[in-house]
Amino acid sequence: MIEEEIKAISRKDVVQSNDLSQTHLPISVTANNLFAYIISTLIEDKFYYVFDIRETLEKLGIAENNYSILLNALQQLKRHTIIINYNDHNNKQRGKEINILDEIDYPREDETKKAIQDINGHFTIKLGAKIAPQLFNLKNNFTVYQLKSFLSLKKNNAKRLYVFLASKKHLKTVRMTNDEIQYLFGKHYKEIRVLVHKEIKPAIEEIKNKTNIENIELVATKNKRKIVGYTFHFDWIDKQYQLALTHTTNPKELQIHDTLVTEFGLTNSQAEKIRMYVPLAQITKTLYQIRVLNSNKRIQALTPYVLSVFKKNYELEEIL
């Protein structure tokens, strides 16, 4: 690796764009797990990462003597591309094909035992440059899901549906056409009922049993007697945005985050949301105005007041 390498440290949550969450990725379960694990480690605008082999095997639930499984997953991520669908300025549908990883470096299989036993045994990656907008500097239209819940799911169908529902968490109801459902799952059946029975219902049961989503219901949408789609109804057991760490390395943003938490009493989650939805200059201006107003301790309940100002001034009622 030529540029600075960052030691990968996993967080509890995975943050990515909604476009990425709603895109079908035809890779193995292990490769899906590795991709989510990689995303959970990202630091803003950094592309090179070093992963400890033993730690990664343990995180993904792979036995140490099965390094070849991890290596195969890593190579899949290097080979495969992601197709992001979008509308151009003429509102015409287009597809953008981008690389997940631009570069990987790893021990050969005949060096596996030595690499794992070596305290410095590692593999390195360079994140694809074009995928960066799907992972960094996300101010809105992003998805947060629990890494632990994602890794607990054993089937790709359940993983795809879990992440998709996470991207719709504020709606709790999602209506999809037959074509949209088949695209999401990468399955094509002549009868949509067969897809629902064989692929989707087992995925729903696994999600309900293992993750922070419950009460998932699937209701058919009909045009006369013909099924033209399905509607998902679901509930979250807990709030999805609970990042203990700030998703930034910008010194000014870190200072603002620290100020919101230490001086104004906000939680890490509340401070992170304000930073992601409100421009830095506006946060600074608003906090200055609050300080002036509170110069003589006129505000009795400072934290609730700060939250109310940001909710009102920046339309964050449903966010905070």
Side-chain angles (χ1 to χ4, degrees):
M1 297 291 179
I2 298 174
E3 298 183 24
E4 180 186 3
E5 295 174 342
I6 302 296
K7 186 181 184 301
I9 301 175
S10 176
R11 299 188 178 94
K12 294 181 179 180
D13 298 295
V14 181
V15 183
Q16 62 189 44
S17 72
N18 286 348
D19 285 341
L20 189 56
S21 301
Q22 297 162 21
T23 298
H24 171 67
L25 183 58
I27 56 178
S28 68
V29 170
T30 304
N32 248 321
N33 287 343
L34 179 58
F35 187 34
Y37 178 56
I38 288 173
I39 296 174
S40 77
T41 70
L42 299 184
I43 298 174
E44 192 168 328
D45 297 330
K46 301 294 182 182
F47 289 84
Y48 289 89
Y49 295 86
V50 182
F51 290 83
D52 181 271
I53 292 176
R54 178 176 287 173
E55 185 178 314
T56 304
L57 289 170
E58 181 180 352
K59 193 73 175 182
L60 302 187
I62 304 172
E64 286 190 4
N65 61 350
N66 285 331
Y67 169 70
S68 60
I69 295 176
L70 173 61
L71 179 56
N72 180 264
L74 183 62
Q75 291 169 334
Q76 278 190 56
L77 292 182
K78 176 63 176 69
R79 289 195 305 268
H80 280 280
T81 57
I82 294 177
I83 299 175
I84 302 293
N85 295 320
Y86 71 99
N87 292 333
D88 64 14
H89 60 281
N90 293 319
N91 206 31
K92 300 290 185 180
Q93 274 207 336
R94 298 182 63 85
K96 181 184 295 184
E97 196 163 344
I98 56 179
N99 293 328
I100 300 172
L101 303 178
D102 279 347
E103 184 180 333
I104 57 176
D105 184 278
Y106 51 86
R108 293 168 56 90
E109 283 195 66
D110 54 8
E111 294 288 326
T112 300
K113 188 174 182 180
K114 180 180 177 182
I116 293 174
Q117 290 176 343
D118 184 351
I119 193 171
N120 295 315
H122 65 274
F123 65 90
T124 57
I125 69 164
K126 179 186 178 186
L127 200 64
K130 297 296 184 181
I131 202 173
Q134 308 297 327
L135 303 171
F136 296 143
N137 303 310
L138 301 172
K139 300 300 181 183
N140 48 44
N141 295 325
F142 61 90
T143 304
V144 181
Y145 61 90
Q146 295 178 347
L147 179 63
K148 181 180 178 181
S149 291
F150 184 86
L151 295 179
S152 73
L153 299 170
K154 302 304 180 185
K155 301 292 185 182
N156 262 339
N157 287 337
K159 292 179 183 296
R160 292 188 188 106
L161 182 58
Y162 175 69
V163 174
F164 176 78
L165 293 180
S167 73
K168 306 289 186 179
K169 59 182 176 288
H170 296 306
L171 300 177
K172 296 187 177 182
T173 298
V174 183
R175 178 174 293 181
M176 301 179 71
T177 66
N178 291 345
D179 287 343
E180 289 171 337
I181 291 172
Q182 304 217 59
Y183 170 75
L184 177 66
F185 288 93
K187 309 282 186 179
H188 297 278
Y189 288 82
K190 290 183 179 179
E191 289 289 335
I192 192 68
R193 288 189 182 92
V194 179
L195 172 62
V196 169
H197 177 73
K198 292 182 65 175
E199 311 283 353
I200 300 179
K201 287 188 175 180
I204 288 175
E205 288 305 310
E206 188 178 9
I207 291 170
K208 287 164 62 177
N209 291 333
K210 296 181 178 179
T211 76
N212 56 327
I213 307 179
E214 64 181 3
N215 301 329
I216 305 175
E217 296 182 11
L218 191 61
V219 180
T221 304
K222 295 184 177 181
N223 183 358
K224 297 182 180 179
R225 293 188 174 184
K226 183 180 179 180
I227 296 177
V228 295
Y230 282 85
T231 300
F232 292 88
H233 302 276
F234 59 96
D235 293 319
W236 295 101
I237 295 174
D238 55 14
K239 293 181 179 180
Q240 279 296 289
Y241 205 94
Q242 295 179 343
L243 292 183
L245 300 175
T246 61
H247 213 63
T248 181
T249 56
N250 184 309
K252 291 183 179 180
E253 291 184 345
L254 286 172
Q255 184 178 0
I256 284 292
H257 183 99
D258 185 63
T259 298
L260 287 167
V261 173
T262 59
E263 181 179 344
F264 294 97
L266 274 62
T267 65
N268 274 307
S269 176
Q270 290 166 339
E272 180 74 5
K273 290 174 184 177
I274 289 174
R275 190 189 62 75
M276 297 190 78
Y277 282 92
V278 182
L280 191 63
Q282 293 301 315
I283 299 176
T284 303
K285 180 180 178 181
T286 301
L287 295 182
Y288 172 77
Q289 292 171 340
I290 292 174
R291 285 192 186 99
V292 171
L293 182 63
N294 195 41
S295 59
N296 294 321
K297 305 297 181 182
R298 294 171 57 187
I299 305 173
Q300 294 183 352
L302 183 59
T303 301
Y305 178 79
V306 171
L307 289 172
S308 68
V309 170
F310 279 100
K311 286 179 182 179
K312 180 180 179 181
N313 291 355
Y314 303 103
E315 299 180 352
L316 300 180
E317 286 85 355
E318 297 181 1
I319 304 299
L320 292 173

